[in-house]
C-alpha cells in the first residue's frame, strides 16, 4: 500500500467507475477533470497492488488564507473499513499545516449518515444550519436547488 | 454597469436561476458553492442597475505555475450580445498576467457551437482531440462518461 499525489492520468480510471463506487448514485458530475489537473499537489491517492483503492481531492483556499477544503473523497467498495479515509484526511491535514493554515472545511449530504459519522469521528464539528435532519444541522440548497449540505469545520 | 470580484453572498441569487439562464439545461451541479467561497479573488461579476447580469469563475492553477483556468461563465439571457463575456475574459486575462502567468485554459461541450465560436473569437485555439464533430476536435469523456469536451488554450 502506498500513498502518493494525484496525477492527471489518474482521472480516466477513477471517473469511469466513480458512480459504481457510490452504488450507482450519479456523482461524476461533481468531479470534473480540472481538480486532477490543477490541484494535484494537495490531492492524494492510495494504491494497493497497483490498483487505486482510495483518493482525496483537496485544495488550499485562494480567497481564505487560513483555510483549506476537501472537495471529494472516494474509497473502493471492496476496500472500505481499512482506515484509508482516515489516512487520506491525515495526509491532507499535514499539507494544510505545512502551509501555515489552520482550518479544514468540507460538506456532505444530510442523508449521507455514514459520511456524517466519519467526519465527526475525524474531529470535525458541524456548523450551524437553517434546517435539521435527524438532529443534524444543515444548509438547505447549499450547492444549488435541492442540494442540501451539512457543513463541517476542523481546526488542525 | 460595474465589474467587481465575486463574493460568497452572490452564490444564492446566481445558482437559483442558473438553469434558467441555460434554457432549462441542468448546469447547477457543475457550480458548487466552493468556487464562490475559495476563488473569489480570480472570479468576477458584472452588475447593471444592481442586478447580476454576467459572471466568470476562474482560478490560477496550483499544480501548473504558468496556467490558469476558466471554469464557468454565465450571461443573463436578456443581456447577451452586449460584450459582457469579452469584458469578463479580458479582466481575467489581466489577473493572469499580473500573476506572471501566460496560459488560460477552459473547456466546453462540442454541441455548444455558440461557446466554441465565442472562444475562437476571443483568440483561443482548440487543442487536439481523439474525436471530431462538425470539424471541431474534442476529447471524448473528458469530464466523465459521456461528458465530451472541446479543450481551449490561449496565451496571454
Amino acid at each position: 500500500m502506498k500513498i502518493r499525489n494525484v496525477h492527471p492520468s489518474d482521472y480516466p480510471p477513477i471517473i469511469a467507475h466513480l458512480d459504481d463506487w457510490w452504488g450507482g448514485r450519479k456523482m461524476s458530475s461533481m468531479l470534473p477533470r480540472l481538480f486532477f489537473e490543477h490541484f494535484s499537489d494537495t490531492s492524494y491517492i492510495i494504491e494497493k497492488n497497483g490498483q487505486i483503492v482510495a483518493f482525496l481531492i483537496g485544495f488550499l483556499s485562494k480567497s481564505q488564507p487560513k483555510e483549506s477544503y476537501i472537495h471529494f473523497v472516494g474509497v473502493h467498495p471492496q476496500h472500505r473499513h481499512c482506515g484509508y479515509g482516515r489516512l487520506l484526511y491525515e495526509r491532507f491535514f499535514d499539507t494544510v499545516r505545512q502551509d501555515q493554515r489552520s482550518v479544514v472545511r468540507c460538506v456532505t449530504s444530510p442523508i449521507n449518515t455514514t459520511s456524517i459519522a466519519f467526519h465527526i469521528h475525524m474531529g470535525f464539528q458541524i456548523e450551524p444550519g437553517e434546517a435539521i435532519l435527524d438532529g443534524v444541522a444543515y444548509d438547505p440548497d447549499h450547492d444549488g436547488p435541492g442540494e442540501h449540505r451539512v457543513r463541517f469545520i476542523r481546526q488542525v
Side-chain angles (χ1 to χ4, degrees), chain A residues 52-65:
Chain A
I52 296 170
V53 295
F55 69 96
L56 178 152
I57 302 296
F59 59 81
L60 306 176
S61 174
K62 187 67 169 39
S63 315
Q64 309 295 332

Side-chain angles (χ1 to χ4, degrees), chain A residues 6-13 15 28-40 57:
Chain A
V6 161
H7 187 270
S9 65
D10 296 318
Y11 185 74
I15 205 70
S28 54
S29 65
M30 291 173 59
L31 193 59
R33 187 184 290 248
L34 68 90
F35 289 103
F36 286 67
E37 293 186 332
H38 300 294
F39 301 102
S40 57
I57 302 296

Side-chain angles (χ1 to χ4, degrees), chain A residues 57-86:
Chain A
I57 302 296
F59 59 81
L60 306 176
S61 174
K62 187 67 169 39
S63 315
Q64 309 295 332
K66 288 290 170 199
E67 298 196 4
S68 63
Y69 191 88
I70 296 174
H71 172 53
F72 208 101
V73 180
V75 181
H76 189 294
Q78 292 171 11
H79 296 270
R80 289 184 184 158
H81 314 293
C82 303
Y84 293 154
R86 167 174 287 274

Side-chain angles (χ1 to χ4, degrees), chain A residues 6 8 16 23 37 41 48 58 64 66 69 74 87 90 121 132 135 137 141 148-149 151:
Chain A
V6 161
E37 293 186 332
D41 53 349
K48 193 174 177 182
Q64 309 295 332
K66 288 290 170 199
Y69 191 88
L87 206 60
E90 287 180 348
H121 188 63
I132 292 183
D141 303 323
H148 313 322
R149 295 290 184 268
R151 299 183 302 138

